[in-house]
Amino acid sequence: MTTDEATDTDTRRAVLDAAAELIASGGTAALTTRAVAAKASIQPPTLYRIFGDKRGLLDAVAQDRLARFVTEKEAHPPHPDPIEDLRQGWSRYVAFGLENPDVFAIMNEIGSPLAQSPASLAGMAALRRRVSRIARAGRLRVAEERAVALIHASAVGIVTTF
């Protein structure tokens, strides 16, 4: 990695962290170019160079937070009981959504490119593994893909409702 690439990576991380803090404290309305640049100690044009526009920054923040969440969630060893494992995964997902409502809303916008992001795909793969364990234990009464879709839709609905 060159010095310029390392600097860009460090700057990107600083911007994502600053933007996430602003969103957490004041919602997406608090995410202004001036506020992010000041919090990240950069010049405003750097934001446009790295993220393109505000939408690009919002998507990058949501992707970053989702990736962190999935990594943390997958660090937990599976519970021996596949139903309890699903419950624990559900609880972590709902807690993440309630703790990060603006990021969760960005992640779940209809037509969002984040639905096909690496973090989103990894999260869905984790859900599929949990559901597959339940099916292998003979405790699933519907097709696995239908169960995955129902569980995901229910979790998004619960967080959105709350």
Side-chain angles (χ1 to χ4, degrees):
M1 181 179 288
T2 68
T3 303
D4 287 343
E5 289 171 332
T7 300
D8 279 353
T9 300
D10 293 345
T11 301
R12 181 179 176 78
R13 169 61 36 224
V15 170
L16 290 173
D17 290 344
E21 288 176 32
L22 288 166
I23 291 170
S25 66
T28 55
L31 193 74
T32 66
T33 303
R34 189 171 285 138
V36 174
K39 192 159 193 64
S41 301
I42 61 165
Q43 295 297 315
T46 304
L47 290 173
Y48 296 104
R49 181 176 58 78
I50 296 174
F51 300 101
D53 58 13
K54 183 176 181 177
R55 180 79 246 174
L57 177 57
L58 286 169
D59 287 348
V61 170
Q63 166 66 17
D64 180 65
R65 293 306 180 228
L66 177 60
R68 287 179 180 205
F69 166 71
V70 169
T71 299
E72 290 168 11
K73 189 169 127 176
E74 288 301 288
H76 294 273
H79 191 280
D81 176 7
I83 299 291
E84 183 57 30
D85 190 42
L86 178 63
R87 278 191 197 110
Q88 289 176 1
W90 169 280
S91 294
R92 284 190 289 273
Y93 185 78
V94 170
F96 170 79
L98 295 177
E99 291 165 7
N100 302 279
D102 290 293
V103 168
F104 193 83
I106 295 165
M107 288 169 29
N108 290 290
E109 288 175 351
I110 293 175
S112 171
L114 295 176
Q116 295 303 311
S117 72
S120 182
L121 295 174
M124 290 303 291
L127 176 57
R128 280 186 184 86
R129 283 191 301 275
R130 284 182 168 88
V131 169
S132 182
R133 284 186 64 217
I134 294 168
R136 286 192 311 271
R139 297 171 72 185
L140 189 64
R141 302 268 189 258
V142 298
E144 287 183 38
E145 277 305 309
R146 180 164 174 79
V148 168
L150 290 169
I151 293 164
H152 183 255
S154 297
V156 170
I158 290 290
V159 172
T160 304
T161 300
F162 287 152

